[in-house]
Amino acid sequence: LDPETFQYAVKDFEFVFMDFYASWCSHCRDLAPTWETLAKVMDSAALSIVNDSVEQEERHKWTIEDYEHAKMVEKPVLIAKVDCVDHQQFCNLNQIRAYPTLRLFIDGKHNDDYRGHRTVVEMADWLHLKEVQHNTDLEASETATSVAAEAARHRMSLYGQEKEWVDDVQKRQAEHGRSQRSGSNWRDDEHPGCQIAGTLMLDRVPGNFHIMARSNHHDLVPHMTNVSHIVHELTFGESVRQRTALSKEKGRLPQEVQDKFAPMNGNVYVTEGLHEAYHHHLKVITTDLRKATKKDNFKAYQIIQSSQLSFYRNDVVPEAKFIYDLSPIAVSYSTKGRHWYDYVTSLMAIIGGTFTVVGMMESGINAAMSKRRQYRR
């Protein structure tokens, strides 16, 4: 299909199941034979509903199981596809972010995207489920089978302007009996993004790790990929033990030192343009926290962090990158305690030193005064 024929399709068919694909996409090429088989078996099943005497073709690529599951879908479904390479603007208007995107339109409106296994059986079952949900919304008084069969027979017997007029009437009747439903507007609570938590085992050498959008079943559209992110917690070392140890060191370590153990926590990095992502450069400094006893010693890691916005080529998917490097310099903080008798000894030393100084001063003064008296005589 193209943008013009797509309008005809959603006008003439109540159910349109679309494959938005790209010719360069490997997943799209893998899906192509299955999609063609689905289109043929759905057409054959729809004909069998209209006329019970219509039998399966002798030569076909689907199995009996495929056909039986397809027959469960009682309303005609148009299986179509559009090449997003040739019609990029049309795909952008439909917010296509990955290939292939399998999207169902009901009454010309986006209903849902298929995310299950790409087999004929499972896609046919999914279409049947959507049909049942749609029929429930319509609250049809007649059975779905009789309505679908009659609609299909009537559709196949009409042509030209009369067919368009009947389709328009049927659409208005369906809209009259349909309860109002919310549209497909963007809601933040429906798009929470990915939440990543875990631990990486790193060698004591410079390196990097990166976060990028990837799918085992889709090829992502680079210009539609946004890797804005929030860093809730990022530390080096044993995070729980480090957090506990640092909480005990409050008041002993300077505040600017404590802030450097997790400087990225709570930071938000938003990219508003296309083909860009933040890269974070981390200088990791080994920090020894030494106590009075060796068993209480602890090793933590300070981070000197700088972030910059990097730009990508149009055909490269952006990624959030974290580049770390170990500093050759280590920092040591030690805490030593003193016993009470150390204070007494120090006090006595001060007193003794004072008496010694006073005695020396007194001896010097006496010697000076004695010489002065002898001079006068």
Side-chain angles (χ1 to χ4, degrees):
L1 297 179
D2 56 34
E4 184 177 358
T5 56
F6 171 77
Q7 297 301 325
Y8 297 153
V10 295
K11 183 178 181 181
D12 294 339
F13 289 86
E14 187 177 4
F15 287 79
V16 178
F17 195 21
M18 290 281 294
D19 172 19
F20 292 89
Y21 74 99
S23 54
W24 48 262
C25 170
S26 59
H27 298 293
C28 299
R29 291 194 293 269
D30 294 338
L31 174 65
T34 305
W35 194 253
E36 294 294 335
T37 302
L38 176 67
K40 293 178 180 179
V41 71
M42 292 301 296
D43 286 345
S44 181
L47 289 173
S48 69
I49 296 176
V50 176
N51 190 347
D52 294 335
S53 63
V54 176
E55 299 179 354
Q56 298 186 58
E57 300 176 9
E58 295 183 0
R59 296 181 180 180
H60 51 71
K61 296 182 180 180
W62 60 83
T63 64
I64 296 178
E65 183 182 15
D66 294 340
Y67 184 75
E68 292 299 326
H69 283 259
K71 285 183 64 177
M72 295 172 62
V73 183
E74 296 165 344
K75 292 187 178 181
V77 180
L78 176 64
I79 308 297
K81 59 183 180 180
V82 59
D83 190 345
C84 290
V85 175
D86 296 334
H87 307 289
Q88 183 176 357
Q89 185 177 2
F90 176 67
C91 293
N92 290 341
L93 291 175
N94 283 276
Q95 296 293 310
I96 304 302
R97 301 177 181 272
Y99 303 126
T101 295
L102 308 182
R103 179 163 295 178
L104 177 64
F105 294 88
I106 301 181
D107 294 328
K109 297 180 180 180
H110 173 205
N111 178 268
D112 198 2
D113 291 348
Y114 178 75
R115 298 179 178 86
H117 296 291
R118 294 168 185 166
T119 63
V120 173
V121 171
E122 295 204 22
M123 287 189 286
D125 289 343
W126 184 77
L127 290 172
H128 172 62
L129 175 63
K130 290 298 177 181
E131 181 187 51
V132 172
Q133 293 174 350
H134 182 62
N135 290 337
T136 302
D137 293 337
L138 291 177
E139 298 179 351
S141 58
E142 301 179 69
T143 62
T145 302
S146 61
V147 172
E150 182 62 27
R153 291 193 192 97
H154 194 57
R155 182 183 298 276
M156 295 182 66
S157 62
L158 299 176
Y159 299 94
Q161 295 181 352
E162 183 182 4
K163 183 174 183 298
E164 293 182 1
W165 180 82
V166 172
D167 289 341
D168 185 66
V169 171
Q170 290 178 347
K171 182 178 180 180
R172 290 176 182 273
Q173 290 175 343
E175 291 176 350
H176 179 73
R178 184 183 303 113
S179 60
Q180 294 185 352
R181 299 188 297 271
S182 60
S184 56
N185 295 330
W186 181 278
R187 295 179 56 184
D188 290 339
D189 56 351
E190 294 179 353
H191 304 273
C194 300
Q195 299 181 4
I196 302 176
T199 302
L200 297 177
M201 303 299 295
L202 305 177
D203 295 328
R204 292 181 177 272
V205 295
N208 68 84
F209 59 91
H210 53 271
I211 301 172
M212 65 180 299
R214 172 172 288 185
S215 172
N216 292 330
H217 307 289
H218 297 84
D219 286 339
L220 301 181
V221 183
H223 71 275
M224 298 291 285
T225 303
N226 188 298
V227 288
S228 299
H229 53 280
I230 303 174
V231 180
H232 295 284
E233 182 179 6
L234 177 62
T235 58
F236 285 78
E238 300 180 35
S239 60
V240 177
R241 187 182 174 190
Q242 178 171 294
R243 195 183 307 115
T244 303
L246 292 177
S247 63
K248 296 179 180 179
E249 294 295 324
K250 285 186 176 180
R252 300 179 182 179
L253 288 176
Q255 185 61 41
E256 60 269 17
V257 174
Q258 294 189 34
D259 294 339
K260 290 181 180 179
F261 289 103
M264 299 186 69
N265 288 7
N267 290 358
V268 180
Y269 302 92
V270 178
T271 56
E272 298 179 354
L274 303 178
H275 308 293
E276 61 185 27
Y278 275 96
H279 287 188
H280 309 286
H281 299 267
L282 312 176
K283 177 70 74 172
V284 183
I285 303 173
T286 303
T287 305
D288 291 323
L289 303 178
R290 297 181 179 179
K291 302 294 186 64
T293 57
K294 291 185 176 181
K295 67 177 183 178
D296 294 329
N297 290 349
F298 181 73
K299 183 172 293 186
Y301 299 90
Q302 296 185 64
I303 303 173
I304 298 177
Q305 171 256 340
S306 64
S307 301
Q308 64 181 16
L309 193 62
S310 299
F311 298 90
Y312 288 77
R313 299 197 318 267
N314 294 348
D315 59 341
V316 177
V317 178
E319 59 186 13
K321 198 169 187 178
F322 297 79
I323 305 165
Y324 59 89
D325 185 17
L326 296 178
S327 173
I329 300 175
V331 179
S332 177
Y333 292 92
S334 59
T335 303
K336 295 182 180 180
R338 299 184 66 182
H339 299 286
W340 65 269
Y341 50 79
D342 292 332
Y343 291 98
V344 175
T345 303
S346 299
L347 179 61
M348 297 302 293
I350 293 173
I351 296 174
T354 302
F355 274 104
T356 301
V357 172
V358 171
M360 293 175 61
M361 292 176 62
E362 183 181 7
S363 299
I365 293 172
N366 289 334
M369 293 298 293
S370 299
K371 288 183 180 180
R372 187 174 181 181
R373 291 191 192 99
Q374 292 176 359
Y375 179 75
R376 286 180 178 179
R377 292 176 185 176

